Amino acid sequence: MTDNGEFDEDELEAGRVLFAREASFLMGAVAIDGLPSTDLPEVAFAGRSNVGKSSLINGLVGHKKLARASNEPGRTREVNFFVLDERLRLVDLPGYGWAKASKTTVKKFQALGHDYLRGRPNLKRAYLLIDARHGLKDVDKEPMDAFDKAAVSYQIVLTKADKIKPSEVAAMVAKTQAAIVKRPAAFPRVLATSSEKGAGLPELRAEIMAACGIVLER
């Protein structure tokens, strides 16, 4: 990593190499006792139901259909596990903030997400996805509170950054960093990404490798 806190070319290249390797769907769990073993490091992705989690996961691994995006927001109501190169699991948590589900259903799948956060010793970091066009909303405070309470390190990832001007992206990054500065479990660096254009994905891959302590042999 460079002196200004950015990843160097070797780290970005290592991320590219790792995420170009085989990625596959492992399983979907609807209850905490159905989760896979804790033998591999995991990173989890959370966000509002229309924030682009599936697109981001697919973009990271270069596989358009690994994580299935639904035309109806909020359909991801399981904890979905994907395995990368038998070294790492990417975990898609149930979306939140959807309007069409009943309150009982919402509470059930929110509870599943909370149980996952509390019960995974191999969870190295969570990534909270926020639409760059809108920034943090009141509905995002609940998962942030859950991360803080569970003492799970989490990092804000802005999605759809290609939909606004570069100056607006920079302003949103600064605004978001200021909003999380006092949150105990929040990682201080905010990333801006575009699944469609690929912007920010090399840096996110490098962040994931660093969080999980994965080093590729030369």
Side-chain angles (χ1 to χ4, degrees), residues 25-36 42-46 53 57 75-82 89-95 98 108-118 120 123:
F25 176 73
L26 177 64
M27 62 173 294
V30 296
I32 194 69
D33 57 3
L35 301 184
E42 294 174 354
V43 294
F45 298 86
K53 281 195 287 99
I57 292 171
R75 288 296 297 275
T76 303
R77 299 177 187 178
E78 301 176 326
V79 176
N80 288 316
F81 292 82
F82 307 91
R89 293 194 196 106
L90 309 175
V91 184
D92 186 2
L93 296 178
W98 64 86
K108 175 182 177 181
F109 293 104
Q110 284 179 339
L112 175 60
H114 291 175
D115 286 345
Y116 169 81
L117 294 176
R118 288 193 295 264
R120 297 301 278 181
L123 176 61

Side-chain angles (χ1 to χ4, degrees), residues 132-176:
R133 298 171 296 181
H134 308 304
L136 289 167
K137 300 292 186 183
D138 287 343
V139 71
D140 299 310
K141 292 179 181 178
E142 182 172 344
M144 294 169 72
D145 290 344
F147 293 140
D148 288 333
K149 186 175 181 180
V152 171
S153 172
Y154 65 98
Q155 185 168 8
I156 303 293
V157 176
L158 301 177
T159 62
K160 307 180 184 181
D162 58 303
K163 306 298 184 184
I164 57 178
K165 298 176 181 178
S167 60
E168 294 173 323
V169 174
M172 184 58 73
V173 168
K175 180 180 179 181
T176 305

Side-chain angles (χ1 to χ4, degrees), residues 5-127:
E6 296 181 356
F7 290 101
D8 60 32
E9 290 184 6
D10 288 344
E11 290 167 319
L12 295 176
E13 174 62 10
R16 184 196 67 79
V17 170
L18 175 63
F19 279 81
R21 295 179 176 174
E22 183 179 0
S24 60
F25 176 73
L26 177 64
M27 62 173 294
V30 296
I32 194 69
D33 57 3
L35 301 184
S37 67
T38 58
D39 57 331
L40 291 178
E42 294 174 354
V43 294
F45 298 86
R48 294 197 298 272
S49 57
N50 59 349
V51 78
K53 281 195 287 99
S54 297
S55 296
L56 183 73
I57 292 171
N58 289 339
L60 284 171
V61 300
H63 192 319
K64 292 183 179 180
K65 296 183 180 180
L66 180 67
R68 291 176 294 176
S70 173
N71 291 328
E72 182 182 338
R75 288 296 297 275
T76 303
R77 299 177 187 178
E78 301 176 326
V79 176
N80 288 316
F81 292 82
F82 307 91
V83 62
L84 174 65
D85 194 37
E86 299 300 330
R87 288 174 174 259
L88 165 70
R89 293 194 196 106
L90 309 175
V91 184
D92 186 2
L93 296 178
Y96 60 87
W98 64 86
K100 293 185 177 180
S102 68
K103 289 184 178 180
T104 300
T105 299
V106 169
K107 287 183 178 180
K108 175 182 177 181
F109 293 104
Q110 284 179 339
L112 175 60
H114 291 175
D115 286 345
Y116 169 81
L117 294 176
R118 288 193 295 264
R120 297 301 278 181
N122 57 327
L123 176 61
K124 302 303 181 182
R125 183 172 296 164
Y127 293 92

